Amino acid sequence: MSAPLAVILRAVAGAPRTPAELARDLGSSEAALSGMLRTLQSSGYVQEAVPEIGGCACGPCALKSMCRNADSGADDDHTVPAEATPLGLLRLTPRGEAYLQRTAG
């Protein structure tokens, strides 16, 4: 994995982040990060932080007005429509966390 991808993983490590937040924090554009984020996602290092894959810590959405995922395109049963292609809120996968632990030593 190249150094720029590791920098992105470290930026996502603390808390789920959107591509816009990552771009702002890394001093880049969302368009420039798009390819790298898709590579990390397809390689299993990051994933969408949506309830059906364990990204939601609160369980059922009792507090939709405060949830960062509430406007992500998820409908009432918390599924994201297949046509929702933009990356939303991202978090590290166990594989991404393991990679960062190996490189932190």
Side-chain angles (χ1 to χ4, degrees):
M1 182 173 302
S2 65
L5 297 178
V7 170
I8 295 170
L9 286 177
R10 283 187 202 100
V12 175
R17 315 280 291 283
T18 65
E21 290 170 334
L22 287 170
R24 182 183 62 243
D25 293 346
L26 296 173
S28 184
S29 71
E30 199 171 336
L33 286 177
S34 177
M36 289 187 262
L37 291 172
R38 295 226 181 261
T39 297
L40 287 170
Q41 185 179 34
S42 66
S43 300
Y45 290 95
V46 298
Q47 66 186 13
E48 296 268 354
V50 291
E52 71 266 22
I53 56 176
C56 188
C58 60
C61 292
L63 300 173
K64 276 190 181 180
S65 66
M66 298 174 69
C67 181
R68 291 179 72 174
N69 283 328
D71 295 324
S72 68
D75 51 23
D76 289 337
D77 67 354
H78 301 292
T79 57
V80 177
E83 67 272 7
T85 56
L87 292 172
L89 193 61
L90 300 172
R91 70 179 186 104
L92 287 183
T93 63
R95 182 177 184 181
E97 291 171 4
Y99 173 81
L100 286 181
Q101 287 177 354
R102 283 193 310 270
T103 61

